[in-house]
């Protein structure tokens, strides 16, 4: 899964700054998921650091 996220980040040319400036969207998405125990912020923060 992590590799897929990294590849998507690269292919979409999403920058670290774009990910970090939109972390609030993770909270909005969390409210709409059936399994609200998943916190995407740590995953997104790791993804932001990947090259």
């Amino acid at each position: 899964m992590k590799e897929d996220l990294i590849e998507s980040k690269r292919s979409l040319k999403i920058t670290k700054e774009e990910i970090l400036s939109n972390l609030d969207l993770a909270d909005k998405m969390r409210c709409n998921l059936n399994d609200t125990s998943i916190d995407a912020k740590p995953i997104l923060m790791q993804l932001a650091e990947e090259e």
Side-chain angles (χ1 to χ4, degrees):
M1 181 172 120
K2 182 178 177 181
E3 293 80 19
D4 293 335
L5 289 173
I6 294 169
E7 182 56 36
S8 293
K9 177 187 172 191
R10 288 180 185 147
S11 67
L12 295 170
K13 298 179 181 166
I14 298 172
T15 66
K16 173 182 178 177
E17 292 76 20
E18 289 171 320
I19 293 173
L20 295 177
S21 68
N22 288 291
L23 284 178
D24 61 318
L25 294 176
D27 289 331
K28 292 177 185 177
M29 289 172 32
R30 188 175 190 178
C31 294
N32 294 316
L33 295 174
N34 289 335
D35 184 3
T36 57
S37 64
I38 298 170
D39 184 3
K41 281 185 180 180
I43 297 167
L44 292 171
M45 291 172 72
Q46 276 186 323
L47 181 62
E49 297 300 326
E50 293 291 338
E51 293 296 324

